Amino acid sequence: AAGVIQSPRHLIKEKRETATLKCYPIPRHDTVYWYQQGPGQDPQFLISFYEKMQSDKGSIPDRFSAQQFSDYHSELNMSSLELGDSALYFCASSLGKGLPDEQYFGPGTRLTVT
Amino acid sequence: QKEVEQNSGPLSVPEGAIASLNCTYSDRGSQSFFWYRQYSGKSPELIMFIYSNGDKEDGRFTAQLNKASQYVSLLIRDSQPSDSATYLCAVNEGDGQNFVFGPGTRLSVLP
C-alpha cells in the first residue's frame, strides 16, 4: 500500500540558511500534519492542513511556514535556520475530519544544521 | 494545557511475557486515543486506536480505555524481542486535529 512520502530524507544546512521539506500524503488523504522530533523527545506538533487550508497550529516558530497545494502535497519552509532546528521532521496524513482520525507517518526528514 | 503522561521506562519484560504500557491524559474532551510504536531513528507506526470505553483487541495487542479515569493502556501478549521499541501514546480531541503525544515508554523484551 502507498505510504506517506517525504523528501529529502536527509538535509544538511548551515546556520541562517533556508530549507524546504516536502510531503506527499497517502492517496485520497486530505489532511497533512507536520511534527518535529528532537533527540530523545516525543514528536511535537507544528502545523496541519485540511483541504489546503491551515487547520491547526502548534509550536511552529515564526521562521517556519507551510502550505498545502492543490494536489494535497505540503511543503514546510524553514528560514534563518538555527542549530536547535536540527531534528527529525515527520509529516503525517489522514483522511480528514471525523473519528477516529488515524494519522500515518512518513519516514521523516533528518535535518542537520551546522 | 493538554498533557499526556507515560512512564518513560525502560520497561523490561522477558520474552513470552505480557507487557503493560500505561498512559494518562488531562483533557477530558479527548475523543480518540492512539498507540504508536517507534524504533530508534524511524517514524512512528500506528499500532492501534480506540475511542470507546473498554477493550479492543488486535492480534497480540489489546488497548484498554477508561475515560472516567482518563487512562488508556496497551497490553502486548507473548512479547517478542522485535517488540523492543518506544511506544507513544497519542491523544486528540473530537475535531480530529493535532495529536498530543506522551513522552513514550521504552520497552525492552529480553530473549
Side-chain angles (χ1 to χ4, degrees), chain B residues 19-80:
Chain B
S20 178
L21 305 165
N22 304 317
C23 173
T24 59
Y25 58 95
S26 62
D27 188 348
R28 285 196 171 272
S30 301
Q31 297 286 337
S32 307
F33 308 87
F34 303 81
W35 282 100
Y36 284 83
R37 176 174 63 195
Q38 187 175 28
Y39 297 107
S40 181
K42 303 297 184 181
S43 60
E45 173 192 5
L46 180 64
I47 297 176
M48 292 197 68
F49 63 86
I50 186 168
Y51 55 96
S52 299
N53 278 326
D55 295 0
K56 180 181 179 182
E57 186 174 319
D58 183 1
R60 296 187 296 113
F61 299 97
T62 299
Q64 299 174 317
L65 174 62
N66 184 326
K67 288 187 178 180
S69 300
Q70 296 175 244
Y71 174 91
V72 58
S73 66
L74 179 70
L75 300 178
I76 306 175
R77 290 181 298 281
D78 188 23
S79 296
Q80 301 297 309

Side-chain angles (χ1 to χ4, degrees), chain B residues 12-16 79-81 84 108-111:
Chain B
S12 295
V13 300
E15 184 174 358
S79 296
Q80 301 297 309
S84 298
S108 178
V109 180
L110 307 175

